[in-house]
Amino acid sequence: MTPTISAAPRGALAGIRVIDFGQMVSAPYCAKLFSDYGADVIKVELPEGDAARAAGPFPRDVPHPEKSGLYFFHNTNKRGITCDVAHPEGRRLFLRLLERSDVLIENNLPQRMRAWGLDYATLAEINPDLVVISITPFGQTGPYSGWNGYDLNAFHLSGASSRYCGRPGETPLEHGTFAADYFGAVTAAAWGLAAVYGRELAGGGQQVDVSCAEAIAAAFVGGQNIGCYAQEGRFDKRTGVGMPLGAPATILPCRDGHVWMLALEPGQWNGLRKVMDDPDWASLEMFQDMYSRAQNADVIYGFIREWTMQHGKMEIMEKCQAAGCPVTAVFTIAEAAAQPHLQAREYFVDMEHPQLGRLKNLGAPFKLPACPGGPERPAPLLGQHNAEVYRELLDLSAADVRRLAQCNVI
Amino acid sequence: MANQLPLKGVRVVNFGWVWAGPVVGQTLGFLGAEVLKIESAARVDMTRNLPPFADGIPGPDRSLSNHACWAGNGSVSLNLKEPEALELALRLIATADVVVENFGPGVMERLGLGYERLREVKEDIILFSMPAAGLYGPLEHVRTYGLSLTSLTGLDSLVGYKGGEPVPVENAFSDPYAGIFGAFAVLAALNHRRNTGIGQHVDFSQQEAVMQMVAPAWMDYALNGRSGGPKSNEHPTAAAAPHGVFPCRGDDRWISIAVCRDEEWQGLVAAMDNPDWAATPAFATLPARVAAIDQLHEHIAQWTHEFDDRELAARLQEHGVAAAPVLNVGDLLHDPHYCARDTFVEVTHPLGFRETIYGAYVKTSRTRPDIRPGPVVGQDNERVFRTLLGIPEAEYERLKRDRIIY
């Protein structure tokens, strides 16, 4: 049977209306995944705006609420309105919006949602079909659910840093980005979209409670470690090298930066030897398998480093890859941005923002050939779509909207 | 019927191997899909042979980490080098909604399972491919480990001690990340199929999906031309101070403290009993604290190191400060928060032993998945080949004997 093809090209999530009541990274990025793939996402901000508007990065480091890079990135393809949910009339408007929506995505601490009278029980009563996606550092239940917390606290509560990142005895490290927020965001997007897709089977909407710490503790750290600890009572910690049990498997410096040096299997090791012009030391008995190489890590990393320091990262990567060895350049952000590969795949998109001007953005995170996604419209200015959205969804007149603005409700 | 899992009735055939592909299946499986991993005793996945093993006895059905990472998947065994096995795979795909794979580009075509071939047996099939760098482009055949894939995104250049060299993350954070993210992509494609009747071949480049995580540094590059570097645990956009991990009493004990707002700073100062240094103008405002962050962190570390991490976290929380202990693997299993949320669950494996894996790490209020350990090789053969595909018993026995179903 030939499927019916709809007239206009529409995004994969067309027909789903989302209220994004998030700030900073986790909920806004989750909602961006919905908006960039075609859902109608309305970003609701308190009158003071999303905290990301104050978090930068800003052009020339000059703070400006309409020039935050963080806000720009995470709020593409959304319409933006303001609403003071702490004001009784604002709360009523917010609940009326939720009556007409499929999904709420939010990342406020649970006590804050309760204080606003926006706890899940209240929302489910207003709209039983609403899927409420809550993304918080610790989750809606459990002893830490009342704690204050941010991305940093969630990441380090997951076991990931103690186990996998940093030198022994020194400070455990996060990734240099909002790693817990992003992990929570994609987790929430997958579980939340399933709850929307299967709403009839599930018997209505539901609350999707994502703890960023828990998602990482389970799916990253727990998967590879918890069975061992439960059975044998022992566990490992960070070592500061890439892979302590096999070598070479670590980041090494080279002439113009760093490379991820990996040559574990015999074919890979032989490839690396060839690229290095088969130096004498490489035929030593202690370097003949990945385990004995790891036992002599200091020696072998010293030898390999002597070679890498004489070569550039791209040359090392290209020669090693051609020789069957999975060595990659450690790209800086600027180098990552200049990759012909990503340009050939049209990963980068130029966008125009009323305050930031023209700038290069990252495009869709994955390609759906039948219904391409990705950012097209820039993040909204604060309250940019107040008149349009309040009229279209709640049937408010221009005069109503003016009055609400005068009373600081919107 | 009310209160079913939301993806009940969706069938996924999963050729995924190692970690990322199986996690796509796991995520969809936890949400109610029927997920059948295709594998074979002719080429056992390396993760099935990762120690430690249940009760210390080696075997491809006894790897504890494999059972956690593959939970949610079923298993059907087919030796795809045999033409008859390929035909059986295609018959199974004809009944399915989604096919998942994480080989390199072109491998599915060489197996005789390319997208066009799949469409011949199921026109609206969704094929989800997640190669390291996507299905096409100059780097399409790049060799990476999950461990090092992140080097191609710029992410690895941001990890390390302030001002120092990049420090490698010692496991593939990107594997479960891309696996769960991939489930979202599959769901988007399913939603499009529901709207339009059209399936598609999803090109999920792990590099591109993971690269979105560098957004804070990316934006500083796009706006200011700067390329960031390692800065320990400082805030990614320098919008908070203190923002770090500080030593506590005991061996390798630490606490994370993040202060974004002035009320939180006042809470921290009160919790420290108002030390003189904290009252100086150098730390009076957020921009001042950010500018003097090294000095600020030194002061705080001198204060934290005498305290027990959990007691200090509780004390700081009483003052409204975002603080939490830094847990190690040993702490996770008995941490009261994870215990209360059933993050880790003890389950009985079909072979009889008890083992601990992770459970439904997202709490859904209407329906909760039933978590069972990752599959025994071929555990769903009988049901799939006899019941679903209707293969007569004698034929089924022959296929097993001939190592087609193997």
Side-chain angles (χ1 to χ4, degrees), chain A residues 199-237:
Chain A
R199 195 156 45 180
E200 281 182 28
L201 282 168
Q206 55 185 316
Q207 183 180 36
V208 178
D209 165 15
V210 176
S211 151
C212 299
E214 182 182 27
I216 298 174
F220 177 48
V221 185
Q224 304 245 335
N225 296 280
I226 210 71
C228 173
Y229 179 68
Q231 177 175 289
E232 310 193 352
R234 65 180 169 85
F235 63 92
D236 294 314
K237 287 186 179 176

Side-chain angles (χ1 to χ4, degrees), chain A residues 4 60 150 177 202 345, chain B residues 196 208 213 224 252 264 366:
Chain A
T4 326
R60 293 176 304 284
Y150 295 100
T177 187
R345 289 176 56 79
Chain B
T196 63
E208 288 163 23
M213 283 179 64
N224 294 310
D252 201 27
E264 294 167 334
R366 202 174 277 274

Side-chain angles (χ1 to χ4, degrees), chain B residues 8-266:
Chain B
K8 194 177 162 57
V10 173
R11 181 171 294 138
V12 180
V13 175
N14 190 358
F15 292 89
W17 62 305
V18 186
W19 199 2
V23 171
V24 179
Q26 166 175 95
T27 311
L28 299 169
F30 280 5
L31 289 159
E34 178 193 7
V35 185
L36 299 166
K37 241 189 75 60
I38 307 288
E39 51 181 335
S40 175
R43 189 177 183 228
V44 176
D45 193 289
M46 50 92 61
T47 65
R48 284 192 171 277
N49 286 313
L50 279 183
F53 300 99
D55 301 329
I57 304 164
D61 288 319
R62 305 186 73 91
S63 165
L64 300 175
S65 58
N66 175 268
H67 292 172
C69 297
W70 287 20
N73 287 276
S75 173
V76 164
S77 51
L78 280 173
N79 181 5
L80 291 172
K81 289 193 183 115
E82 299 286 343
E84 274 189 295
L86 181 66
E87 283 313 306
L88 288 170
L90 287 166
R91 279 175 66 187
L92 177 57
I93 290 166
T95 75
D97 303 285
V98 179
V99 173
V100 171
E101 61 97 3
N102 63 328
F103 302 122
V107 172
M108 286 293 274
E109 282 78 4
R110 288 200 292 282
L111 284 168
L113 294 165
Y115 178 57
E116 291 309 320
R117 181 75 187 98
L118 301 193
R119 284 193 66 199
E120 288 170 18
V121 298
K122 185 78 193 301
E123 189 173 0
D124 65 356
I125 196 75
I126 291 160
L127 173 58
F128 175 79
S129 296
M130 55 183 318
L135 287 169
Y136 66 93
L139 277 186
E140 66 180 5
H141 294 299
V142 71
R143 295 162 194 264
T144 68
Y145 281 32
L147 190 68
S148 58
L149 172 90
T150 38
S151 68
L152 299 177
T153 69
L155 183 59
D156 286 358
S157 74
L158 305 173
V159 187
Y161 297 98
K162 191 173 183 177
E165 297 194 304
V167 171
V169 178
E170 298 173 46
N171 203 345
F173 187 80
S174 63
D175 271 46
Y177 186 82
I180 296 169
F181 204 160
F184 172 79
V186 168
L187 278 154
L190 277 169
N191 199 67
H192 187 69
R193 191 188 68 170
R194 177 188 278 171
N195 284 347
T196 63
I198 299 173
Q200 57 189 308
H201 185 182
V202 183
D203 178 5
F204 186 102
S205 158
Q206 296 190 46
Q207 178 194 22
E208 288 163 23
V210 172
M211 190 164 166
Q212 306 239 315
M213 283 179 64
V214 307
W218 170 266
M219 290 310 305
D220 196 30
Y221 171 74
L223 294 171
N224 294 310
R226 289 189 293 235
S227 220
K231 47 179 191 173
S232 300
N233 288 295
E234 287 182 18
H235 190 270
T237 65
H243 192 277
V245 167
F246 303 92
C248 286
R249 197 173 66 216
D251 176 31
D252 201 27
R253 304 309 310 188
W254 309 84
I255 189 168
S256 65
I257 300 174
V259 173
C260 300
R261 292 181 289 123
D262 282 334
E263 310 91 270
E264 294 167 334
W265 169 247
Q266 283 143 21

Side-chain angles (χ1 to χ4, degrees), chain A residues 72-337:
Chain A
F72 169 86
F73 186 90
H74 295 105
N75 294 287
T76 49
N77 290 9
K78 301 176 188 175
R79 293 190 283 178
I81 66 170
T82 50
C83 180
D84 183 4
V85 298
H87 188 290
E89 201 165 351
R91 179 174 175 273
R92 271 198 298 278
L93 290 173
F94 187 70
L95 293 176
R96 283 176 64 198
L97 290 172
L98 293 180
E99 275 178 53
R100 289 156 180 77
S101 301
D102 302 289
V103 185
L104 168 67
I105 303 176
E106 62 92 18
N107 61 350
N108 301 286
L109 293 173
Q111 57 269 35
R112 198 156 186 219
M113 288 297 274
R114 278 196 299 275
W116 281 321
L118 298 174
D119 52 287
Y120 177 66
T122 303
L123 304 183
E125 214 168 288
I126 300 276
N127 180 356
D129 284 333
L130 186 70
V131 171
V132 177
I133 303 175
S134 295
I135 315 168
T136 53
F138 311 118
Q140 304 294 309
T141 63
Y144 309 156
S145 61
W147 278 8
N148 188 11
Y150 295 100
D151 166 84
L152 178 83
N153 311 105
F155 189 83
H156 289 286
L157 192 75
S158 72
S161 61
S162 161
R163 174 67 184 89
Y164 290 128
C165 198
R167 288 189 284 263
E170 293 184 45
T171 319
L173 297 169
E174 195 179 347
H175 289 68
T177 187
F178 300 97
D181 277 352
Y182 286 114
F183 204 101
V186 300
T187 299
W191 288 65
L193 180 54
V196 179
Y197 183 84
R199 195 156 45 180
E200 281 182 28
L201 282 168
Q206 55 185 316
Q207 183 180 36
V208 178
D209 165 15
V210 176
S211 151
C212 299
E214 182 182 27
I216 298 174
F220 177 48
V221 185
Q224 304 245 335
N225 296 280
I226 210 71
C228 173
Y229 179 68
Q231 177 175 289
E232 310 193 352
R234 65 180 169 85
F235 63 92
D236 294 314
K237 287 186 179 176
R238 63 198 180 282
T239 68
V241 291
M243 202 188 275
L245 300 178
T250 198
I251 292 177
L252 288 179
C254 62
R255 202 176 59 206
D256 57 354
H258 296 82
V259 290
W260 238 110
M261 176 53 64
L262 271 159
L264 298 173
E265 292 161 23
Q268 299 171 353
W269 171 244
N270 291 333
L272 178 63
R273 280 177 68 163
K274 207 173 86 189
V275 174
M276 293 189 299
D277 277 338
D278 212 7
D280 290 341
W281 60 263
S283 55
L284 292 175
E285 187 61 32
M286 64 173 156
F287 297 146
Q288 292 324 299
D289 69 70
M290 60 183 259
Y291 306 106
S292 62
R293 288 195 293 269
Q295 280 160 7
N296 299 287
D298 287 350
V299 187
I300 193 169
Y301 286 142
F303 279 129
I304 299 178
R305 183 190 302 246
E306 269 178 39
W307 176 76
T308 54
M309 286 306 287
Q310 294 164 28
H311 300 273
K313 63 174 85 167
M314 288 313 296
E315 177 200 350
I316 294 172
M317 172 167 162
E318 279 160 20
K319 285 187 174 162
C320 286
Q321 290 278 339
C325 188
V327 173
T328 47
V330 176
F331 287 142
T332 63
I333 300 295
E335 290 163 349

